[in-house]
Amino acid sequence: MERLNIICIDDQQNVLYTLQRDLTFFQSDLNLSFCESASEACQVIEELSAAGQYIAVVICDHIMPEKNGIDFLIELKEEERFSAVKTVLLTGLATHQDTIRAINQAHIDRYIEKPWNGKHLVDTIKTLITEFIFKVGLDYVKYAPYLDEKIVLERLHNPNIYSNRND
Amino acid sequence: MNLQIQNPPYDLDYIRAHYFSGPNGHISVDSGEIIMSQDEFNDRLYLLEKGRLDGYHELDGERIKLFTVEPEMFVGVHSFFSGTFKSGATVVAREPSVLCYIRFQSIDKAKRSQQFYKDFMPVVVHELFYRTLYLQQATLEKRDTLNQLIRNEKLASLGQMAAGIAHELNNALAVLARNTDWLCSKFNDIVSIKDKHEQNLSSHALLYGRSLSTRDTRSLYKQLEKNTNYNRASIQKLSEMNVCVNEEADYFTPDYIEKLYFKWQVATTLHDMAVSSNQASQVIRSMHILGSEPRKKVDQVSIRETINEALTLIHPQCKGINLQLDANSDAKIQANRSELVQIWTNLITNACQSLRNANITDPDISIRLFRRKSTFIVEIMDNGPGIPDDLLPHIFEPHVTTKVDGLSFGLGLGLSIVEKLLSFYNGSIDVQSKPGKTKFSVKLAL
């Protein structure tokens, strides 16, 4: 059975646990994975991909030892098989230059500053999951409680907006 | 300021012999006596034999020191050789002195042409060179003093602001800290003593928080998935709590696991709150130091002991780092123990963090305490990446930090606090840094 995965990456454990608490809403039907480094995230993503699972959303910190978040996201998006993945940069410390790279090279979908607002985060993830589902062409009915209703309605009125299939 | 130019480029004996060996060209002066006054007539070239003189420029009633004259140096060079015969400076004897001199007219007319100037040219140039050097040095010293003053000003005003903020936050933080402690103590009351799982899990979580890495959590999850029949939600909770279940021995219902997990989460949350409020209090205490006055030093304190105490305090942060202490002096100084401990704590913590952030393979911190005459020196050296040259002059300023590890409670105040505390002891600190070796040297007077 296909599973949607949300991957969270931050070198601070307490940030990860706080994220976990905020994302409890998604816990029942989606998989949440927590990683303390970009390399750990790479491993997890590889394993999940190999098992045929979807990587729907990646939430990533920027400042981390070894590889930083933006570099990781750039590399992630360079791969064709992850082109549909929705990415969120969650950070308290990014320079102007970093942000430009994040947008232009990593093509991030959202930038959220730390400290973040819990509800805002959940709403953002809902929207991104909805976009992902429609982009990849999955059955959205199954994920109804986790979706952004506005987008679903738009999609019903205009089916070609979010699909990337050539009909 | 001691400026002595060795080996002047002229033969003093020759000049003495040819020009200064006449009978009447000697004077003795007492300290404070004026040899010549600025802008007044002077046709004498003096050679100082014994004593010391100071040359001043008078400007708007203020005396600015231009040069010092040591034995075997010349005085009156400007007025003598410029042809103005007007003294450019006021020359005063600092000590009782003996000078010999020649008057311009007394120089043989023949000599006064080529030979005279040839003989004295090096003297004049040398004299000018010396004076330029003297002024340069004075300027440099003034600039350093000015920088120090500016730094002190900044520190003072930041200190005041910090103290103000600290004061505002003190109450709120005290409430936070005390209430968190109370909650932690009451938590144990709501944990069932009959249920040993709940007991063990929750009390461990309260004391140590969550200690399992995400990687280990994930492998435990896979293990439980393979070896047990629990559902996904239960396995996720069990793996987070680091509970290895032996399914024959204990069987947990999903509801029970849910209950355990809930209490465990509360415990870890309380733990994290306690840690955070402690750290916040520590920051406030540090900020308070920045704006404080020296406290009376109450004890005779062993420096070595304070270093050891600091090492104990920050032991958890230094895990994996090779720490060496070489303290062959058990000397004591009049001090406040906690202030010294704070100094070492800040410096060693900085070293640990720098090593950790750069992921140094064989991290090393070595601490040396030794005595040199009436000074105690503590050197803290690490083999980290070092401090960049452009940052080095600023590291003692508040808020300069290269620490970018997300939750840095240090606020970059560490070194300015160290400096402030050292000022209570008339101590000093300096740093040498290059990639692979950074050394902070703290000096404390006996």
Side-chain angles (χ1 to χ4, degrees):
Chain A
M1 172 179 70
E2 105 248 325
R3 269 218 176 264
L4 291 189
N5 286 271
I6 300 176
I7 320 280
C8 299
I9 312 161
D10 196 306
D11 62 318
Q12 301 276 144
Q13 278 204 342
N14 28 20
V15 174
L16 284 177
Y17 303 143
T18 315
L19 269 175
Q20 183 189 34
R21 240 180 300 225
D22 283 344
L23 297 175
T24 310
F25 172 71
F26 299 97
Q27 201 122 27
S28 333
D29 290 302
L30 285 83
N31 266 348
L32 266 56
S33 291
F34 300 94
C35 307
E36 290 172 56
S37 68
S39 51
E40 196 184 320
C42 282
Q43 257 183 318
V44 170
I45 289 176
E46 278 302 329
E47 282 172 18
L48 290 170
S49 277
Q53 300 204 20
Y54 291 100
I55 314 292
V57 181
V58 171
I59 304 173
C60 192
D61 181 31
H62 177 47
I63 301 289
M64 297 189 285
E66 290 172 10
K67 194 180 290 176
N68 69 46
I70 292 178
D71 285 340
F72 167 74
L73 290 174
I74 291 176
E75 283 172 23
L76 183 75
K77 289 309 242 172
E78 273 171 2
E79 294 201 44
E80 175 66 37
R81 54 187 170 137
F82 298 130
S83 58
V85 176
K86 296 292 174 185
T87 56
V88 179
L89 190 65
L90 180 69
T91 183
L93 207 75
T95 65
H96 193 59
Q97 284 306 314
D98 286 336
T99 311
I100 293 177
R101 273 176 65 230
I103 296 174
N104 292 348
Q105 291 183 297
H107 311 297
I108 58 170
D109 293 285
R110 292 294 190 280
Y111 183 121
I112 299 183
E113 276 185 305
K114 281 180 187 168
W116 66 88
N117 176 285
K119 180 168 187 310
H120 173 68
L121 178 71
V122 172
D123 288 342
T124 302
I125 302 303
K126 268 181 160 181
T127 305
L128 292 178
I129 288 177
T130 314
E131 290 176 3
F132 177 83
I133 285 175
F134 284 130
K135 187 155 184 212
V136 173
L138 298 176
D139 173 17
Y140 68 88
V141 174
K142 202 161 51 163
Y143 295 100
Y146 307 108
L147 302 184
D148 180 333
E149 291 156 358
K150 189 159 156 280
I151 296 182
V152 176
L153 283 172
E154 274 178 16
R155 201 343 179 111
L156 290 177
H157 279 126
N158 191 348
N160 292 320
I161 291 185
Y162 294 104
S163 169
N164 67 352
R165 297 187 299 187
N166 298 319
D167 283 348
Chain B
M1 180 167 78
N2 222 346
L3 193 60
Q4 284 206 332
I5 305 176
Q6 326 290 47
N7 305 322
Y10 46 82
D11 186 347
L12 187 61
D13 293 328
Y14 168 88
I15 290 183
R16 241 200 216 110
H18 278 79
Y19 297 96
F20 287 91
S21 38
N24 291 324
H26 275 79
I27 60 166
S28 293
V29 288
D30 287 325
S31 325
E33 247 188 84
I34 297 178
I35 288 100
M36 65 181 82
S37 297
Q38 183 174 319
D39 292 334
E40 283 185 9
F41 177 77
N42 174 59
D43 68 342
R44 294 179 182 182
L45 177 66
Y46 295 90
L47 171 62
L48 183 66
E49 295 285 17
K50 221 168 68 175
R52 203 174 263 122
L53 315 172
D54 290 320
Y56 297 92
H57 185 71
E58 314 238 357
L59 185 66
D60 297 334
E62 232 188 283
R63 258 187 183 181
I64 302 166
K65 192 152 150 201
L66 282 184
F67 53 84
T68 294
V69 186
E70 306 268 337
E72 298 193 348
M73 283 172 69
F74 291 89
V75 191
V77 172
H78 174 250
S79 40
F80 201 79
F81 290 97
S82 63
T84 61
F85 299 113
K86 214 160 68 154
S87 175
T90 299
V91 182
V92 183
R94 202 198 296 176
E95 302 164 5
S97 307
V98 175
L99 305 98
C100 54
Y101 64 89
I102 50 173
R103 299 184 67 210
F104 195 77
Q105 289 83 346
S106 65
I107 296 173
D108 196 282
K109 234 193 179 109
K111 276 198 186 149
R112 230 193 284 165
S113 49
Q114 270 198 326
Q115 190 60 36
F116 174 70
Y117 287 109
K118 210 167 124 194
D119 287 337
F120 275 95
M121 176 73 117
V123 174
V124 174
V125 171
H126 182 76
E127 193 65 28
L128 287 173
F129 175 63
Y130 166 77
R131 297 205 193 168
T132 311
L133 221 63
Y134 187 95
L135 278 170
Q136 263 183 5
Q137 196 129 325
T139 311
L140 276 169
E141 281 183 10
K142 249 196 207 101
R143 189 199 64 183
D144 288 340
T145 309
L146 194 64
N147 282 343
Q148 183 68 35
L149 266 171
I150 292 176
R151 218 163 76 184
N152 290 345
E153 272 276 315
K154 271 193 196 165
L155 204 60
S157 57
L158 186 92
Q160 282 177 331
M161 191 178 84
I165 293 175
H167 190 70
E168 295 272 327
L169 285 175
N170 265 340
N171 282 337
L173 264 173
V175 169
L176 197 62
R178 298 270 49 75
N179 284 331
T180 307
D181 280 349
W182 184 87
L183 273 177
C184 287
S185 67
K186 289 300 160 193
F187 177 76
N188 284 318
D189 293 350
I190 64 169
V191 171
S192 158
I193 28 173
K194 285 187 280 181
D195 182 339
K196 80 166 193 290
H197 293 295
E198 194 176 292
Q199 177 80 304
N200 290 341
L201 263 181
S202 295
S203 37
H204 186 273
L206 191 66
L207 281 175
Y208 303 105
R210 303 177 70 141
S211 42
L212 210 56
S213 75
T214 46
R215 228 184 263 270
D216 291 338
T217 309
R218 238 193 317 278
S219 34
L220 180 54
Y221 183 99
K222 290 190 189 134
Q223 210 185 319
L224 289 172
E225 215 177 17
K226 207 170 63 166
N227 300 336
T228 70
N229 286 322
Y230 290 117
N231 67 30
R232 208 174 125 253
S234 295
I235 293 183
Q236 178 242 312
K237 295 184 175 72
L238 288 171
S239 58
E240 275 184 52
M241 293 189 285
N242 198 10
V243 172
C244 282
V245 279
N246 180 342
E247 218 175 290
E248 288 106 54
D250 339 80
Y251 177 73
F252 304 132
T253 63
D255 279 344
Y256 179 70
I257 293 177
E258 182 76 46
K259 190 171 77 110
L260 264 184
Y261 185 68
F262 172 74
K263 292 229 171 112
W264 177 84
Q265 273 194 314
V266 173
T268 58
T269 306
L270 283 173
H271 171 264
D272 289 346
M273 281 170 68
V275 168
S276 296
S277 79
N278 276 334
Q279 276 177 306
S281 301
Q282 176 67 6
V283 170
I284 291 301
R285 243 176 280 134
S286 303
M287 285 174 88
H288 191 66
I289 290 177
L290 273 185
S292 66
E293 295 299 313
R295 295 186 296 154
K296 200 163 134 212
K297 299 173 187 63
V298 290
D299 298 308
Q300 278 286 301
V301 177
S302 151
I303 301 183
R304 181 166 65 195
E305 264 178 45
T306 56
I307 298 180
N308 276 319
E309 194 175 319
L311 286 172
T312 310
L313 273 174
I314 61 175
H315 182 67
Q317 286 188 47
C318 301
K319 262 192 277 202
I321 299 178
N322 181 21
L323 268 170
Q324 272 176 323
L325 173 58
D326 170 16
N328 59 17
S329 166
D330 193 29
K332 297 187 160 66
I333 62 169
Q334 194 71 16
N336 283 318
R337 160 173 253 105
S338 63
E339 287 172 357
L340 292 185
V341 174
Q342 171 94 78
I343 293 173
W344 316 132
T345 305
N346 283 14
L347 291 172
I348 302 171
T349 303
N350 279 358
C352 283
Q353 297 213 340
S354 141
L355 289 169
R356 209 174 282 292
N357 282 342
N359 266 305
I360 302 288
T361 23
D362 278 310
D364 253 318
I365 298 178
S366 78
I367 306 168
R368 267 183 77 210
L369 162 63
F370 57 96
R371 181 170 165 171
R372 194 186 286 157
K373 295 198 194 157
S374 62
T375 309
F376 292 105
I377 303 180
V378 177
E379 287 178 350
I380 296 170
M381 194 160 74
D382 69 75
N383 62 345
I387 302 166
D389 283 335
D390 55 350
L391 214 57
L392 219 42
H394 301 288
I395 55 171
F396 291 102
E397 289 168 22
H399 80 60
V400 168
T401 176
T402 57
K403 287 189 231 174
V404 282
D405 53 4
L407 286 171
S408 171
F409 284 111
L411 294 185
L413 290 176
L415 285 177
S416 53
I417 289 170
V418 166
E419 211 179 32
K420 176 78 181 187
L421 287 172
L422 281 174
S423 73
F424 296 168
Y425 293 88
N426 258 321
S428 69
I429 180 168
D430 69 71
V431 56
Q432 287 170 348
S433 180
K434 65 174 193 232
K437 181 167 160 189
T438 300
K439 182 165 80 171
F440 281 89
S441 303
V442 172
K443 296 190 178 70
L444 290 165
L446 181 59

